[in-house]
Amino acid sequence: MEMTLRWYGTDYDTVKLWQIRQIPGVHGVITTLYNKQAGELWEQDEIKALKNEVEAGGLKIAGIESVNVSDAIKAATADRDKHIDNYIKTLENLGKEDIHMVCYNFMPVFDWTRTELARKRADGSTVLAYTQEAVDAIDPEKMFESISGEMNGTVMPGWEPERMAKVKELFELYKGIDEDKLFENIVYFLKAIMPVCNKYDIKMAIHPDDPAWSVFGLPRIINNEKNILKLMKAVDDVHNGVTFCSGSYGTSLENDLPHMIRALEGRIHFAHVRNLKFISPTNFEEAAHLSSDGTFDMYEIVKALYETGFDGPIRPDHGRMIWGEVAMPGYGLYDRALGATYINGLWEAIEKSHLRGL
């Protein structure tokens, strides 16, 4: 596996490349052209400039998260094929720059949903959190307003102000689109892009829905083992793969995370490893990566990745805000650095036990 950290770019991220380079075992970043809108073409010279900046910082681009899929593609509107054509050209330009993994999602309207960005824990740290009762009590058009004051002056992925200004229009767009139709639309998209993925060996890694159930009545299709295996079978190409995010699949306590990893052997191209602490099945907060701080057995999750031969990029995911840091919620430096070293330690211990035949 290749340990990485997500980085949003100089103009958007509070964390610097030189800081990431000093985290033991981290040699690459997962990044993006954050100023690009979904459906827009990424030019090769823009990608090259980003790549040169990362390499000048002593790191490499291990993958892109995300080349966002437009609502025209997800909802199959009149601009779908035009946006798919731009996506294909973008993938071609990434391939020409020797970038071979793209994480993306197919969630309608909200890329992810949390009801708090700074829930205070007993140790004084703050974390992202979700309570179903809070979602049930709020108008979806006011969702952004309810959390925007906790963004610490940053622009959070999937919650860009210009996008949130169109929430009402977006809900109208998805009227009449159920899970079957959304699944049909993702299969159409994947079949269209597989030729360029095969040509340039670009592994598409779909991120699960977060949380793993319908929010505001919107359809969810990438939320459990049955559904993700259905997608792998529908487009049975190794380049159609998965981002295994323990924190997103893990929002449903019905998901057996190590079992899912084993069921997806050979199709996991990217991994987000993080922990959650549940107060109730629909009230959870994000925890430190350490197993004992949350609900998941992180050793068993990493062990399943190791034993299925996972060799792609991996990253610690949402971290706590600790030690007075002010940053994009979930994406500060300190707790993610702790997470990276913890996951590296687990991997080393598992690897050595296997080498010794234990």
Side-chain angles (χ1 to χ4, degrees), residues 47-328:
I47 298 166
K48 183 184 284 291
L50 178 64
K51 182 181 175 183
N52 288 344
E53 181 182 11
V54 169
E55 290 180 350
L59 296 160
K60 61 170 282 193
I61 294 179
I64 297 295
E65 185 182 351
S66 301
V67 179
N68 288 320
V69 180
S70 71
D71 292 294
I73 295 172
K74 293 175 186 177
T77 69
D79 285 333
R80 171 168 69 170
D81 290 335
K82 174 186 172 184
H83 286 193
I84 288 177
D85 187 53
N86 283 345
Y87 209 102
I88 289 168
K89 290 174 182 173
T90 294
L91 292 175
E92 184 173 27
N93 289 337
L94 288 167
K96 288 176 180 176
E97 291 301 322
D98 200 28
I99 296 170
H100 301 285
M101 191 282 292
V102 173
C103 173
Y104 70 105
N105 77 73
F106 220 77
M107 284 178 266
V109 185
F110 301 110
D111 279 5
W112 52 273
T113 308
R114 293 292 181 271
T115 54
E116 299 167 66
L117 302 183
R119 179 183 289 182
K120 195 165 186 178
R121 305 187 79 206
D123 62 5
S125 64
T126 61
V127 294
L128 308 180
Y130 180 94
T131 307
Q132 187 61 44
E133 290 76 11
V135 170
D136 294 340
I138 197 168
D139 182 331
E141 290 183 52
K142 303 234 171 126
M143 191 71 195
F144 176 74
E145 182 184 320
S146 72
I147 62 171
S148 60
E150 298 178 343
M151 291 183 178
N152 294 331
T154 64
V155 179
M156 298 194 69
W159 292 83
E160 296 82 4
E162 61 272 17
R163 178 175 173 78
M164 291 300 99
K166 301 176 182 176
V167 165
K168 188 174 182 179
E169 294 173 39
L170 289 170
F171 270 87
E172 286 293 321
L173 185 67
Y174 286 98
K175 270 189 177 176
I177 295 182
D178 59 12
E179 291 182 357
D180 290 340
K181 181 60 179 173
L182 192 63
F183 187 82
E184 180 184 315
N185 293 346
I186 192 173
V187 169
Y188 182 97
F189 165 69
L190 285 169
K191 286 184 174 179
I193 68 171
M194 280 299 106
V196 73
C197 291
N198 278 282
K199 181 178 179 180
Y200 289 97
D201 189 26
I202 296 175
K203 294 176 177 177
M204 298 297 297
I206 190 163
H207 190 283
D209 301 336
D210 190 354
W213 55 80
S214 177
V215 177
F216 300 121
L218 295 165
R220 290 291 203 234
I221 57 172
I222 310 298
N223 55 359
N224 58 37
E225 183 176 323
K226 177 185 174 183
N227 286 353
I228 190 61
L229 288 175
K230 178 183 174 184
L231 182 62
M232 296 301 100
K233 185 177 180 181
V235 184
D236 195 8
D237 186 309
V238 71
H239 294 96
N240 171 34
V242 176
T243 295
F244 194 87
C245 178
S246 62
S248 296
Y249 280 123
T251 57
S252 171
L253 291 171
E254 295 179 3
N255 286 332
D256 182 333
L257 302 179
H259 185 275
M260 288 181 72
I261 291 168
R262 291 186 166 89
L264 288 162
E265 183 172 351
R267 300 295 279 271
I268 298 176
H269 301 322
F270 184 30
H272 296 176
V273 178
R274 62 180 165 94
N275 206 349
L276 298 178
K277 182 177 179 63
F278 283 82
I279 291 84
S280 76
T282 57
N283 180 354
F284 59 84
E285 60 188 34
E286 305 200 347
H289 289 75
L290 191 72
S291 295
S292 61
D293 196 57
T295 300
F296 305 149
D297 187 330
M298 304 302 284
Y299 176 86
E300 289 297 332
I301 290 169
V302 175
K303 184 170 178 273
L305 287 167
Y306 179 87
E307 291 180 345
T308 53
F310 173 73
D311 62 356
I314 188 171
R315 68 171 178 83
D317 206 0
H318 303 163
R320 303 166 298 148
M321 287 294 110
I322 60 173
W323 302 337
E325 184 176 22
V326 178
M328 183 187 294

Side-chain angles (χ1 to χ4, degrees), residues 21-37:
R21 190 182 180 190
Q22 291 179 6
I23 303 170
V26 176
H27 304 293
V29 295
I30 303 294
T31 190
T32 188
L33 292 177
Y34 202 25
N35 61 321
K36 287 290 188 179
Q37 300 300 308

